[in-house]
Amino acid sequence: MPVAALKPLPTQSTSKRAVQLDLPYEPVEKRPLPPGRPREWYVIHNRRLKAMRLAIALLDSGIYMPNQARNERIHVTAQLIGVHPPSDTTCHMVRALMRYAR
């Protein structure tokens, strides 16, 4: 077997420009949330899920740095993927997720 065949594939994208989102995505099957928690737990849980979806969509569209993800850009992405417009708190969470994923 040639040595070149044993060489690992690169893990970073070598794309020169942003890759468009592959739409439409098929949503994951929803399961009911556990009962008996305080209302605030459900609010935070859903906010984290929305922030993760938005962060993934931004990363897929070529926005890799938190300072590139302004509130306006996050709102446009939310509209693109079909979720309700995020609050300022959720936008902050999106940037935090992008920051800590590095």
Side-chain angles (χ1 to χ4, degrees):
M1 180 181 279
V3 176
L6 298 175
K7 189 175 178 183
L9 296 173
T11 56
Q12 292 184 343
S13 173
T14 56
S15 175
K16 299 294 181 199
R17 53 194 171 95
V19 178
Q20 293 295 319
L21 294 174
D22 296 332
L23 293 177
Y25 286 112
E26 187 171 323
V28 178
E29 183 180 337
K30 293 186 178 183
R31 298 184 322 222
L33 293 175
R37 307 256 179 156
R39 185 180 191 289
E40 188 64 25
W41 183 90
Y42 297 104
V43 171
I44 292 171
H45 175 77
N46 289 329
R47 180 168 287 160
R48 286 178 183 155
L49 289 177
K50 181 187 274 190
M52 280 192 293
R53 284 188 203 106
L54 287 168
I56 290 167
L58 285 167
L59 291 169
D60 286 346
S61 67
I63 307 290
Y64 300 113
M65 301 296 290
N67 60 355
Q68 295 174 323
R70 304 258 183 242
N71 285 3
E72 298 81 23
R73 181 67 191 155
I74 296 172
H75 282 271
V76 168
T77 304
Q79 186 177 11
L80 179 68
I81 64 173
V83 298
H84 289 285
S87 65
D88 290 341
T89 304
T90 305
C91 291
H92 185 270
M93 271 185 164
V94 169
R95 286 188 289 275
L97 282 170
M98 292 175 76
R99 186 174 301 117
Y100 294 125
R102 298 183 62 61

